[in-house]
Amino acid sequence: MAASACCCGLPGWLLPAMPVQLRVPRLVRVGSDFSGLDTGIFALKRLQLPVEVSFCSDTDPHCRKLLEAAHKPKCFFDDAEQRKPEDEIPVDVYISTPPCQPWSSQGKRKGLQDPRGRLLKVPLRYTKRHKPRVFLMENVKGLCHRKNKPVLRGIRATLEKLDYRVWLGVLNAVDFQIPQKRQRLFIVAIRKDSCRRPFKWPKKLGKRRLSEALDPMQAADRPGRLPKNQRAKALALAACRKVNKEGIDPRQVPVAIDVGCSQKYATFGIDVSRTLSQARAKTGGFWISSRGRYMTTNEMLKVSGFQSSEMPDWNQHVSKTQLQGMLGNCVPIPLVGCVLQNALYAAGLISKLAPFPV
């Protein structure tokens, strides 16, 4: 029997193969490394997407307790670097947030000379082996600095060689309804055969004031009260005087003051929190001038984008200090959520976009 021919006269078997159109899956499989609180998973759940948490990883046993309670991953790896290839699980969406200390302006900036800096190879190694449809990596803005640009170029080149389209961008949590100034670098990569449409960075959601995230005034609160520690007291007093000169009463308007640093690195935010680091969060966060005290755990949850229903029983799994340290290390939920949603849409893993619920 003669082979069928197309309108151009060529037999069907000589025609170029049509590209496979990948479908929107019923269940989106997600995996993460260096998971921390894994706010990306919280974001996907808030979007009410059908998500299966295939795996998480973190060397902190306290993170493991909280992640297993909150996300119930099918598998948990204590150390992603030591994980064997045969133990890895393929996923549709892969999220990685490697340690940021080697690249942070607040650290020693050793980059690849720091053993933690070399952990950047973990997400690239996993992606080479399993080719997830969406790759998302987050880190500090310092990775973009001139000294580190060869590293950033190397990451992009590796992903492009693996047949991904790559986008890099720096976004600030304060533009996504989070009362915290926290700039973060995102690397989004979408496998070419999955890229339905160009990825676009999310539009800003607007700002939110710190005063909206603070707990109601308590009897123990004393607006204008200063810390007892002499150095902390001097830093708080200096910040309040500067704010007063601008015609703002720090007893009425919350000023979030870093009283745990040296005078050289003194910083504060007027009705907004500065970047909440792990070290600062563990010691109570910032001093709030309109309350005369350090931040509460509930306030730290809010400036990280958590809703009250998302982690109601955290104290059954970890201590207050342990949770606060994790919050100082996490990507605020609306920020990572907006990036993830746009990446999934570009990759054809979801069929439409909706306003992110904050």
Side-chain angles (χ1 to χ4, degrees):
M1 184 169 60
S4 61
C6 70
C7 59
C8 62
L10 287 173
W13 59 272
L14 282 178
L15 291 173
M18 294 295 290
V20 176
Q21 190 78 340
L22 298 175
R23 296 180 179 179
V24 176
R26 292 182 180 178
L27 191 66
V28 178
R29 300 168 303 159
V30 185
S32 69
D33 279 329
F34 312 105
S35 305
L37 273 178
D38 222 334
T39 49
I41 306 295
F42 279 107
L44 293 176
K45 288 181 177 179
R46 192 181 295 183
L47 287 166
Q48 297 185 340
L49 297 179
V51 170
E52 175 189 275
V53 184
S54 298
F55 69 89
C56 299
S57 78
D58 206 287
T59 56
D60 186 341
H62 306 300
C63 281
R64 176 171 188 163
K65 288 180 184 178
L66 203 53
L67 287 171
E68 289 183 334
H71 301 320
K72 297 178 174 56
K74 294 181 69 176
C75 188
F76 195 97
F77 299 100
D78 293 322
D79 191 338
E81 188 181 24
Q82 301 300 321
R83 181 175 56 208
K84 296 178 181 179
E86 58 267 27
D87 294 332
E88 292 178 340
I89 304 171
V91 294
D92 302 303
V93 179
Y94 174 67
I95 305 169
S96 182
T97 56
C100 62
Q101 295 91 337
W103 322 102
S104 174
S105 58
Q106 296 181 0
K108 296 181 179 180
R109 308 182 195 183
K110 289 187 175 182
L112 293 177
Q113 301 305 311
D114 186 323
R116 294 170 296 183
R118 294 193 287 274
L119 293 176
L120 288 177
K121 68 184 180 183
V122 171
L124 298 176
R125 192 170 58 195
Y126 174 87
T127 302
K128 181 179 181 180
R129 285 197 282 257
H130 300 289
K131 300 288 186 69
R133 289 173 69 172
V134 171
F135 167 102
L136 175 68
M137 190 167 84
E138 173 273 342
N139 215 285
V140 291
K141 184 185 176 183
L143 192 51
C144 300
H145 292 171
R146 184 176 179 181
K147 176 184 176 182
N148 301 321
K149 281 190 175 180
V151 177
L152 208 53
R153 285 196 296 267
I155 294 171
R156 176 193 278 274
T158 299
L159 290 168
E160 288 175 342
K161 285 180 182 177
L162 294 174
D163 226 20
Y164 282 84
R165 291 178 181 167
V166 185
W167 293 265
L168 284 74
V170 175
L171 302 178
N172 196 330
V174 78
D175 295 319
F176 292 84
Q177 289 285 313
I178 295 294
Q180 180 186 173
K181 291 183 177 179
R182 193 180 190 101
Q183 288 187 307
R184 281 298 181 267
L185 165 70
F186 290 94
I187 302 174
V188 175
I190 299 174
R191 209 175 65 206
K192 286 182 180 178
D193 69 339
S194 184
C195 202
R196 294 279 188 87
R197 49 189 72 87
F199 169 78
K200 294 182 180 179
W201 293 106
K203 294 179 181 179
K204 296 177 181 179
L205 299 181
K207 300 183 188 300
R208 185 186 181 198
R209 296 179 300 170
L210 178 61
S211 50
E212 298 174 50
L214 294 179
D215 294 341
M217 188 77 74
Q218 301 295 314
D221 292 343
R222 293 287 184 275
R225 178 170 51 195
L226 299 173
K228 293 181 180 179
N229 176 276
Q230 288 303 308
R231 186 179 69 173
K233 182 177 181 178
L235 289 167
L237 187 59
C240 289
R241 284 173 175 168
K242 287 180 182 179
V243 171
N244 258 322
K245 287 181 180 179
E246 296 181 28
I248 299 169
D249 186 349
R251 294 169 298 180
Q252 299 294 325
V253 178
V255 181
I257 310 164
D258 186 353
V259 296
C261 62
S262 65
Q263 187 64 48
K264 179 180 177 181
Y265 295 103
T267 185
F268 61 86
I270 302 173
D271 216 357
V272 69
S273 164
R274 306 293 291 191
T275 300
L276 189 64
S277 68
Q278 183 185 49
R280 196 63 69 244
K282 280 185 173 181
T283 56
F286 300 113
W287 186 264
I288 306 299
S289 65
S290 62
R291 297 291 192 270
R293 57 163 173 76
Y294 287 100
M295 299 173 75
T296 66
T297 306
N298 187 53
E299 289 166 352
M300 290 189 205
L301 281 163
K302 287 182 179 178
V303 301
S304 299
F306 279 88
Q307 296 176 349
S308 56
S309 60
E310 285 174 320
M311 237 179 358
D313 58 350
W314 60 264
N315 54 0
Q316 296 181 22
H317 310 287
V318 295
S319 70
K320 181 178 76 171
T321 302
Q322 289 161 357
L323 176 65
Q324 289 177 178
M326 295 176 208
L327 289 169
N329 235 356
C330 78
V331 194
I333 292 177
L335 175 58
V336 68
C338 287
V339 176
L340 266 174
Q341 184 179 213
N342 282 22
L344 267 63
Y345 180 63
L349 287 165
I350 55 175
S351 56
K352 60 181 180 181
L353 289 176
F356 189 85
V358 294

